[in-house]
Amino acid sequence: MPPTTSSRDQKHRPNRAKKGSIEALQIDEQNHSSAAHLPEHVAAPIRSDQAAEALKNGPIGALVIASIAVGILFIGWLAFYFLLFMPRGPIG
């Protein structure tokens, strides 16, 4: 007996169209919704000078966290080098 699909399954499943070897999705506009579907979920547009001002200082917090992580890795490398490799002496 062939598998059956309900009309509900057909309604919520996107149509697939073959395009060469890549499969492209065709979205049914009536059933499609996204986070930006309603105007209150979309940020207000800003001018380019306002965007430049907002990005002027950059991601300081991310740079601090990355610097701390690199510092910890470097200290660990120094500990391995001086506490593990140097006491064993030269190779050969």
Side-chain angles (χ1 to χ4, degrees):
M1 193 158 136
T4 60
T5 57
S6 68
S7 62
R8 181 179 180 272
D9 290 341
Q10 292 291 335
K11 186 174 155 184
H12 295 290
R13 191 177 299 157
N15 298 328
R16 295 181 185 268
K18 288 282 188 183
K19 200 175 198 183
S21 63
I22 299 174
E23 200 172 283
L25 289 177
Q26 294 177 342
I27 298 174
D28 185 11
E29 293 296 327
Q30 294 174 352
N31 296 325
H32 179 70
S33 64
S34 70
H37 183 68
L38 299 173
E40 58 265 13
H41 295 154
V42 179
I46 61 173
R47 296 188 320 262
S48 61
D49 59 331
Q50 290 174 324
E53 182 65 30
L55 297 172
K56 184 178 167 184
N57 294 329
I60 300 298
L63 293 174
V64 168
I65 291 173
S67 299
I68 291 170
V70 169
I72 290 171
L73 286 171
F74 185 66
I75 290 170
W77 181 82
L78 288 174
F80 267 94
Y81 185 76
F82 287 111
L83 300 175
L84 184 65
F85 298 134
M86 290 300 285
R88 290 185 180 182
I91 296 177

